[in-house]
Amino acid sequence: MNDMKAEKILELKDVTYVYDGERFPVWEHLSCCFFKGKIHAVSGPSGCGKSSVLSLIDGLIPHMYEGKLKGKVFLREEDITDMLPRYRCEKIGLVMQNPESQFCTFTVEEELAFGMENMGFSEEEIGRRIKEVLSFVGLSGYEERELDKLSGGQKQKIAIASILVMKPEILLLDEPTANLDPESRAQIFRLIVRIARKENITVVIVEHNISEIIDEVDWVIELDREGRKITDCRKEEAAGLLQREKQSKAVRILEKEKHPEREVVLDIEHLSFAYPVSGRKKEKGRQILDDFHMRVHKQDFLAIVGENGVGKSTLMKLIFKVCKPDSGTIRLFGKDLSTYHTKRLYHLIGLVFQNPENQFIRNTVWDEMMFSLKRTGGSQEEKEDRVQQMLKQFRLEGEKEKSPFVLSQGQKRRLSVASMLLTNQEILFLDEPTYGQDFENRQELMKDMQKLVEDGITIVMITHDLSLVRQYATHVIEIEKGKAVVSLPTEEYFKD
């Protein structure tokens, strides 16, 4: 690696780490270097230890996560292995997979100011930096917005901004764009490139969809499923990795149903909704959905697309009766949604959450799966066989005694989908189903979804991944400014 013409700023030297309670190390004898002002991509399958590499650099390993560490971490040739995270934060910033897990305050301005206030920055400097970084991430004027009212993509942008505003020497990014629409994803990647090139900040990014950023990446580190380093080279030399990312490009779209008598399972007409202003329940804020129309037929594999904040997740809340529409109607299997008892409604439709952790309610993977079958028929033995089958299908059989919350982000996603697939809802709603998944698992997961459609299930998928839409969806609805501006069969959508 020394042939790279750049200053070495960070080095992991012969590191081995075993999480407390685990028998095997997440990686063993791992050594790699990171260079000043360069963009480094860490890639590999879910659960291979990519995020753990970032935790080691940031100091969460071994100071926050219990376990046994061997080896050294050097920053500018200084041994920082024993340095606590709070002493690294001036030079090293980490953006986590789930943006909500790192928020400390309630509004955008408070969140961006939090770190600078703790460092003693002047009010003038804090204000200047906040305006600058919000402009960088495309959220100018959002200072007074409440964090919990932002869309998932906007939350991720603020999480990134809260680190960038501190101007660290090293920026660690764990799947920073997994929850963003294509345009926002491109904006963030452009921002990351500008930060590295103009500010000379070292970037280490964990990313499954490496093909999207490979043109700007300087260095690639790839781990295999056991956490062994199999690639550590300049981008130009990572041909094998790029080839794997380009596999399975053949488009396979289910044959479009052409029978007009197909049953309409979900019919939405003239739907409008605005969230109440905080503290003033009778006063409405910005219109989220405005005269929205949507129709879903039995065995559709429908993709709902659109930029962050256009109302996709709010639509799910209305369908699942988390929120009540201001006007309009939602009919499920011909009946007004308001007439359904919640228990009956959730027997007919199921939701796989955008953030897997919000779905977990049990202490082990096995118990989480068994809970999904608690109120279903069949013997205990049949239920256990079903759970074992699904764990094997989603490559989670070795994790069944672990807490769902200690799994990798990709494993959490697979568990959330697997637990929902155990039951037999007639319509399955997927909110960013492939978030945190590597290419291989993404394809396997979507093929499982496709098989469900072939077996008679209707799927409605919110996603920003247009490659998945092209490959698997039968119909596309695009939302813009709270309205369904496009509703077309997939082939026609992409011809447009």
Side-chain angles (χ1 to χ4, degrees):
M1 296 195 307
N2 292 328
D3 59 342
M4 189 172 187
K5 295 181 179 179
E7 173 191 353
K8 181 172 68 177
I9 187 172
L10 182 72
E11 182 177 9
L12 308 184
K13 197 166 185 178
D14 197 31
V15 291
T16 298
Y17 185 70
V18 183
Y19 281 101
D20 190 39
E22 295 292 320
R23 292 176 57 196
F24 302 105
V26 62
W27 13 250
E28 196 169 9
H29 302 298
L30 176 65
S31 296
C32 52
C33 295
F34 303 90
F35 302 90
K36 179 69 177 173
K38 302 300 180 182
I39 300 175
H40 309 74
V42 182
S43 186
S46 297
C48 71
K50 303 184 300 295
S51 296
S52 296
V53 169
L54 301 188
S55 296
L56 175 64
I57 296 171
D58 190 55
L60 297 176
I61 290 177
H63 302 292
M64 299 295 290
Y65 302 147
E66 295 184 0
K68 187 176 182 180
L69 174 67
K70 295 181 180 178
K72 297 290 184 180
V73 180
F74 294 94
L75 177 62
R76 296 190 180 279
E77 300 186 354
E78 175 190 356
D79 184 354
I80 64 167
T81 312
D82 296 327
M83 183 183 291
L84 295 173
R86 65 175 179 267
Y87 299 123
R88 302 189 194 191
C89 64
E90 289 186 54
K91 297 181 179 179
I92 301 174
L94 170 64
V95 177
M96 300 177 182
Q97 290 173 326
N98 176 13
E100 294 182 8
S101 66
Q102 72 183 75
F103 289 156
C104 303
T105 62
F106 300 101
T107 69
V108 169
E109 185 174 40
E110 291 170 345
E111 187 64 30
L112 296 181
F114 184 79
M116 291 185 287
E117 287 174 342
N118 285 322
M119 299 299 294
F121 285 42
S122 68
E123 288 188 16
E124 182 181 352
E125 177 68 6
I126 289 174
R128 185 187 66 78
R129 288 197 184 193
I130 287 176
K131 283 184 169 54
E132 180 182 82
V133 78
L134 286 177
S135 176
F136 278 161
V137 300
L139 295 177
S140 294
Y142 273 62
E143 284 89 343
E144 301 303 319
R145 295 287 184 94
E146 295 180 27
L147 294 172
D148 62 358
K149 296 295 194 298
L150 301 178
S151 70
Q154 289 168 340
K155 289 176 182 177
Q156 186 65 285
K157 287 184 178 182
I158 294 303
I160 293 172
S162 69
I163 301 299
L164 293 180
V165 78
M166 299 296 293
K167 298 188 177 180
E169 287 191 67
I170 300 173
L171 177 63
L172 310 177
L173 299 156
D174 196 350
E175 296 283 352
T177 67
N179 200 28
L180 301 181
D181 60 80
E183 176 57 30
S184 296
R185 200 157 57 221
Q187 290 174 9
I188 291 298
F189 283 143
R190 288 196 294 268
L191 171 62
I192 291 169
V193 171
R194 192 162 73 248
I195 291 296
R197 305 298 182 237
K198 292 189 177 181
E199 302 298 326
N200 206 28
I201 291 176
T202 301
V203 173
V204 184
I205 179 171
V206 165
E207 184 63 59
H208 286 304
N209 301 320
I210 194 173
S211 58
E212 290 194 45
I213 61 168
I214 197 62
D215 288 343
E216 297 293 347
V217 166
D218 299 300
W219 202 271
V220 175
I221 297 169
E222 184 187 11
L223 306 178
D224 67 11
R225 200 167 297 280
E226 282 70 45
R228 294 185 295 256
K229 185 177 68 176
I230 57 177
T231 303
D232 186 1
C233 60
R234 285 192 299 265
K235 178 260 307 280
E236 293 80 8
E237 300 168 7
L241 174 60
L242 297 182
Q243 185 60 36
R244 285 190 290 278
E245 284 289 325
K246 293 177 181 178
Q247 287 174 348
S248 302
K249 284 291 186 181
V251 175
R252 181 172 180 258
I253 301 176
L254 290 175
E255 184 177 357
K256 183 174 61 176
E257 288 273 4
K258 297 181 180 179
H259 306 296
E261 67 273 14
R262 265 196 313 151
E263 178 186 2
V264 176
V265 295
L266 181 65
D267 194 9
I268 298 175
E269 294 183 325
H270 304 294
L271 190 67
S272 295
F273 178 79
Y275 288 104
V277 175
S278 179
R280 290 173 284 179
K281 293 184 178 180
K282 293 184 179 180
E283 183 179 343
K284 295 292 185 179
R286 181 176 64 90
Q287 197 76 22
I288 305 299
L289 293 172
D290 183 16
D291 196 29
F292 180 86
H293 293 255
M294 183 175 83
R295 181 169 290 178
V296 183
H297 294 84
K298 185 176 177 61
Q299 285 188 278
D300 269 348
F301 196 146
L302 174 69
I304 299 178
V305 301
E307 294 185 358
N308 294 308
V310 297
K312 302 187 296 298
S313 295
T314 298
L315 176 62
M316 295 299 102
K317 291 179 181 179
L318 294 168
I319 292 172
F320 280 83
K321 297 178 72 171
V322 175
C323 297
K324 185 177 179 180
D326 297 330
S327 61
T329 58
I330 303 175
R331 293 186 179 89
L332 182 67
F333 298 105
K335 292 176 55 179
D336 194 295
L337 189 71
S338 63
T339 66
Y340 280 94
H341 188 278
T342 302
K343 181 179 177 181
R344 172 59 178 162
L345 177 66
Y346 293 172
H347 180 74
L348 292 172
I349 62 178
L351 173 64
V352 177
F353 291 10
Q354 187 179 69
N355 177 12
E357 291 185 2
N358 291 342
Q359 193 167 331
F360 302 146
I361 57 175
R362 287 294 182 262
N363 294 325
T364 69
V365 169
W366 178 265
D367 289 344
E368 185 69 34
M369 296 285 282
M370 288 298 293
F371 183 81
S372 297
L373 297 176
K374 184 177 180 180
R375 299 184 182 276
T376 62
S379 67
Q380 182 71 10
E381 183 180 359
E382 289 172 335
K383 292 178 181 180
E384 290 179 356
D385 287 344
R386 175 66 172 156
V387 167
Q388 192 62 45
Q389 174 190 346
M390 293 299 290
L391 289 175
K392 183 177 181 181
Q393 179 177 342
F394 285 90
R395 288 188 290 186
L396 291 169
E397 63 268 34
E399 322 298 328
K400 63 182 180 181
E401 298 302 325
K402 292 182 180 179
S403 165
F405 298 97
V406 303
L407 301 178
S408 73
Q409 190 71 6
Q411 289 169 332
K412 288 175 184 176
R413 167 54 70 207
R414 299 207 303 275
L415 175 60
S416 70
V417 175
S419 62
M420 189 58 66
L421 292 179
L422 284 166
T423 52
N424 298 308
Q425 286 95 339
E426 296 187 46
I427 308 177
L428 187 61
F429 293 84
L430 310 172
D431 195 352
E432 296 292 350
T434 57
Y435 171 71
Q437 295 290 289
D438 60 79
F439 180 79
E440 179 184 347
N441 288 329
R442 204 161 62 235
Q443 296 298 104
E444 289 182 4
L445 178 62
M446 295 311 297
K447 287 176 182 177
D448 288 334
M449 300 299 101
Q450 195 173 55
K451 180 64 165 58
L452 287 175
V453 172
E454 293 169 355
D455 291 340
I457 302 298
T458 302
I459 288 181
V460 178
M461 172 178 66
I462 291 176
T463 184
H464 292 122
D465 192 334
L466 293 183
S467 65
L468 285 182
V469 175
R470 182 190 292 271
Q471 190 169 359
Y472 294 102
T474 58
H475 199 91
V476 183
I477 288 178
E478 183 175 334
I479 302 179
E480 182 179 316
K481 296 181 180 179
K483 297 180 183 289
V485 294
V486 175
S487 179
L488 288 171
T490 303
E491 292 171 288
E492 294 182 28
Y493 179 80
F494 282 98
K495 283 180 182 178
D496 271 356

